[in-house]
Amino acid sequence: MTLTIPKVQMHKSGPPCSGLVWGTMRSQSQFSNAHALADHLRWLLDHGITTLDTASVYGHPDPFTVEEFLGEALAQVGADKFEIVTKCGIQRLSKHRPENKVRHFDFSEKEIRKSTDLSLQKLGVDCLDVMLLHRPDYLMDPDETAGTLDDLVAQGKIKHVGVSNLSVSRTELVASRLKAPIVTNQIEFSPLHLNPISDGTFDHAIRTGYKPMIWSPIGGGRLLTSEDEHVVKLRGLLGTIATTYGLDGPADAAIAFVNKHPVGGIPVVGSGNRDRILGAIKAINTDMDRQDWYSIIAATNPSLFL
């Protein structure tokens, strides 16, 4: 029997997406060429994973190159089979952006339009399913930023608007100027990073009706590799919990932990290892017991119980 992931609504007005998103950030180091990546994309489709996460700035070793690599693979598989989420705003030093003298963030009209057009071109699509503002730009003019995004929606270049790593107050600021709803906030959440459950981020998502996308649900790999004493202890607990539910190991228990919260967060998994992805699918289809969930909280941050 083939393990598959169900479809979910990211927001009540759309878009539909797969309950597990595949992240492309490390794809150039995982796949030797676009043909190999295309083969992986076909495998993802067979398992119900139809939503891809990327960003204008992604690329290794050169920033600003992943979208083109992904576009070459999508041309072989069919971009229309996927929902594509990309991001704009992060500026890094790169030969592809010789004007950049320092890493910075840019939500100006000029940069959002430039980034959108380049993403469309590189990915080989006519419309982006979701465009996210990638990390906060503290010089953002909210009227300019929101007006630009609304215009791009009206032009048919993007279908939906979201944010990434923005605080509740900044998310609300952007939303207050937009005609389009914010359909997600892509944020970090894992047994090692619990802030969203206590800083109002998840409360805001539930109140306003969107499902956040969750990056680094296994702590960027730290849960599996760190020798820090408290992480080793947490890894042991997660391993025990994984055994209880018939999961493969601590990484899958961490994803089941993320999936338990009623906010309905959508994990972003960037592994090229198919067994890892199958384990994540199984984890998402696992309902962790409340007490097991709280035991992870207690192991990570007992101060949340005070």
Side-chain angles (χ1 to χ4, degrees):
M1 181 179 176
T2 301
L3 282 172
T4 60
I5 202 74
K7 281 280 192 181
V8 299
Q9 286 292 123
M10 190 177 284
H11 184 272
K12 59 186 177 183
S13 66
C17 63
S18 50
L20 179 69
V21 172
W22 190 68
T24 67
M25 186 172 71
R26 297 183 178 88
S27 58
Q28 290 163 302
S29 61
Q30 295 170 331
F31 300 97
S32 58
N33 54 50
H35 179 75
L37 176 55
D39 183 63
H40 185 68
L41 294 180
R42 293 186 187 96
W43 183 88
L44 292 175
L45 286 174
D46 289 341
H47 292 81
I49 301 173
T50 61
T51 307
L52 306 176
D53 174 73
T54 190
S56 61
V57 74
Y58 287 170
H60 180 78
D62 296 323
F64 304 102
T65 55
V66 156
E67 285 182 321
E68 187 171 1
F69 183 57
L70 177 60
E72 292 172 4
L74 287 170
Q76 301 177 41
V77 182
D80 60 333
K81 296 180 175 69
F82 296 91
E83 302 88 35
I84 299 174
V85 180
T86 193
K87 314 178 197 74
C88 66
I90 294 182
Q91 300 298 311
R92 292 179 60 191
L93 301 181
S94 169
K95 65 184 180 182
H96 302 286
R97 299 290 172 89
E99 68 276 16
N100 290 348
K101 299 176 182 178
V102 64
R103 177 174 172 163
H104 63 284
F105 308 92
D106 190 347
F107 291 169
S108 67
E109 176 178 5
K110 179 181 178 182
E111 176 55 33
I112 293 172
R113 290 190 185 278
K114 175 183 177 181
S115 186
T116 299
D117 288 340
L118 283 172
S119 292
L120 291 168
Q121 175 187 331
K122 291 177 179 181
L123 292 164
V125 297
D126 296 324
C127 182
L128 300 165
D129 291 282
V130 187
M131 173 62 83
L132 306 181
L133 298 174
H134 200 178
R135 296 192 178 272
D137 171 16
Y138 298 107
L139 295 177
M140 175 187 70
D141 177 331
D143 293 303
E144 176 185 358
T145 298
T148 303
L149 291 169
D150 280 332
D151 190 53
L152 290 169
V153 171
Q155 290 178 13
K157 291 187 176 183
I158 60 177
K159 292 180 182 177
H160 302 282
V161 175
V163 297
S164 176
N165 302 294
L166 264 61
S167 66
V168 170
S169 64
R170 296 194 71 80
T171 301
E172 290 181 336
L173 176 61
V174 175
S176 73
R177 302 297 199 272
L178 278 168
K179 296 177 183 176
I182 287 179
V183 299
T184 193
N185 186 1
Q186 186 175 131
I187 56 172
E188 182 180 8
F189 177 53
S190 76
L192 288 175
H193 187 86
L194 300 175
N195 293 11
I197 67 173
S198 59
D199 67 5
T201 300
F202 280 177
D203 298 340
H204 178 262
I206 293 170
R207 187 171 70 249
T208 56
Y210 67 79
K211 297 182 186 301
M213 297 173 67
I214 307 298
W215 63 270
S216 284
I218 58 171
R222 284 183 59 227
L223 272 173
L224 306 181
T225 60
S226 175
E227 293 304 315
D228 185 270
E229 183 178 353
H230 92 275
V231 178
V232 171
K233 180 179 177 182
L234 178 60
R235 183 159 63 238
L237 173 63
L238 289 167
T240 300
I241 290 173
T243 300
T244 300
Y245 294 96
L247 299 174
D248 292 340
D252 299 334
I255 290 175
F257 167 84
V258 166
N259 194 62
K260 174 68 175 178
H261 195 280
V263 75
I266 305 165
V268 179
V269 174
S271 178
N273 183 313
R274 294 180 180 181
D275 287 337
R276 287 273 180 89
I277 297 172
L278 289 174
I281 293 173
K282 189 174 181 180
I284 288 171
N285 285 301
T286 297
D287 183 17
M288 182 176 286
D289 179 78
R290 177 182 293 262
Q291 294 191 56
D292 287 332
W293 192 87
Y294 270 104
S295 72
I296 295 169
I297 298 287
T300 301
N301 189 355
S303 68
L304 291 176
F305 289 85
L306 299 178

